[in-house]
Amino acid sequence: MTDSTETTPDATAGSGSRTPSRRSLIGWGGAGLALGAAAAGGAVAMTRAGNDVDPAGAETGAAVPFHGPHQAGIATAVQDRLHFAAFDVKTDDRDAFVQLLKDWTEAAARMTAGHAVGEGAYGGLAEAPPDDTGEALGLKPSRLTLTIGFGPSLFDRFGLRERRPEALVDLPKFSGDNLDKARSGGDLCIQACADDPQVAVHAIRNLARIGFGKVAIRWSQLGFGKTSSTTPDAQTPRNLMGFKDGTRNIAGTETDRLKKFVWVEGEGPDWMKGGSYLVARRIRMNIETWDRTSLQEQEDVFGRDKGEGAPVGKAKERDEPFLKAMKPDAHVRLAHPDSNDGATILRRGYSFTDGTDGLGRLDAGLFFLAYQRDVRKGFIPVQRNLSRTDALNEYIQHVGSAIFAVPPGVRDKDDWWGRALFSEEA
């Protein structure tokens, strides 16, 4: 688990949203469902601060623009809730899969604007299932963002083998990994973030429904209590171990750092320009063991004090850490860019609790999400360093893992998720 305090950036999606017409129509693949514009919530004004969404907008249920040069949900100010889903592709029909991506794009644009899918949850043919599942009726957009990524295994399909980016590598096995195959991998993923959990769950549920017969959910994860922030003025969130996380995360307004560490430029295939690479890791915390550990040891493990969040020997949370004052195996020291040849990643992690295991222990921890320009220069060297000597390893274990190529944003109403990858003319 890398310390978002030292190695995480976050940025905002591009602007240029559009309001879909109230009666625009699109065919839902073979289902023949018409997409109209019954609105679940009205269009809501969005307040912005520079290139980042003003966190005050969350109070008004603001909408985040769907269209732009980068996908929303990467550099966007981090929302409070997450529903992440990895999918397996079940069709060998390239045209059917491309149509699904187009249908998903249209549905995503509507849901992020606060509109229902298709003709809505009621008022249609009584003999047919409604187009929208309905649980988000009356709810505001809640800064919903939907972000798609393509896994390495997708490039074994549809004649895409030659288009797989070199940076989309299979992650190596790290010391201490105990990965569950049922919680790892996936042909593609959708990350839904929102300030209302029902809005996030509604989005994944409806995309999964639209994809029925073409894709199926392989695994999913609900998250709460963001553990990273991309808004420097906001209060730094805490992880389930009680420590502040994300103090030195890249802010959505730091365009220079985003360009250097997050967005793909000319080093990859043309279809990835403006995109990024995502690593998702499910990290279980040994909560009961941690809760019986002395305060001094807890602070030594992280290299920060638990109250203020200040680095060892410093007074304030945001003071520049003096790494040599920390123990050699302190998490912050090992995760810091200075300990990793400058490697820096953008983190959007969330806490999770999934009940208890058969021994009565909490199944809880961190769902780690890291965006970067190249995982070979980002997550891999940092995690390799952490997996060897990090004192935190006594209290955590990586149990799920996946990597995805996240394409650039949908630029306008004629664009769609993955168009540059699947369309030769693009």
Side-chain angles (χ1 to χ4, degrees), residues 141-153:
S142 299
R143 296 196 301 132
L144 172 68
T145 56
L146 293 166
T147 313
I148 195 169
F150 301 133
S153 54

Side-chain angles (χ1 to χ4, degrees), residues 316-391:
K316 298 295 184 182
E317 174 197 343
R318 300 184 190 280
D319 289 346
E320 186 69 27
F322 180 54
L323 300 184
K324 291 184 178 179
M326 303 175 187
K327 291 196 171 184
D329 59 356
H331 180 72
V332 168
R333 179 172 180 171
L334 292 173
H336 195 279
D338 289 352
S339 300
N340 295 280
D341 296 322
T344 303
I345 56 180
L346 183 159
R347 278 190 47 192
R348 290 182 63 93
Y350 287 84
S351 295
F352 71 85
T353 55
D354 290 335
T356 57
D357 61 17
L359 299 175
R361 299 171 301 192
L362 280 175
D363 183 3
L366 169 68
F367 189 66
F368 172 92
L369 296 168
Y371 288 90
Q372 61 248 276
R373 186 168 173 168
D374 190 331
V375 295
R376 297 169 297 182
K377 300 176 182 178
F379 174 78
I380 290 177
V382 174
Q383 182 56 30
R384 187 170 280 144
N385 193 26
L386 290 170
S387 66
R388 292 171 180 151
T389 57
D390 187 1

Side-chain angles (χ1 to χ4, degrees), residues 164-178:
R164 175 175 172 175
E166 290 184 6
L168 187 62
V169 297
D170 295 317
L171 294 176
K173 179 176 175 56
F174 299 101
S175 176
D177 278 2
N178 186 23

Side-chain angles (χ1 to χ4, degrees), residues 40-55:
V44 183
M46 183 187 71
T47 57
R48 296 180 67 84
N51 193 36
D52 207 358
V53 178
D54 186 337

Side-chain angles (χ1 to χ4, degrees), residues 158-235:
F158 308 126
L160 297 175
R161 190 178 299 274
E162 299 302 319
R163 310 205 75 182
R164 175 175 172 175
E166 290 184 6
L168 187 62
V169 297
D170 295 317
L171 294 176
K173 179 176 175 56
F174 299 101
S175 176
D177 278 2
N178 186 23
L179 302 182
D180 179 356
K181 290 184 178 180
R183 289 185 178 272
S184 301
D187 292 330
L188 65 156
C189 72
I190 301 286
Q191 171 194 282
C193 298
D195 290 315
D196 186 328
Q198 191 143 315
V199 171
V201 169
H202 168 265
I204 294 295
R205 178 180 177 185
N206 280 271
L207 293 177
R209 184 183 181 206
I210 293 166
F212 182 77
K214 302 180 186 69
V215 296
I217 291 181
R218 177 181 177 88
W219 56 270
S220 66
Q221 182 67 58
L222 293 172
F224 67 92
K226 62 186 180 185
T227 63
S228 303
S229 174
T230 57
T231 310
D233 295 335
Q235 181 174 330

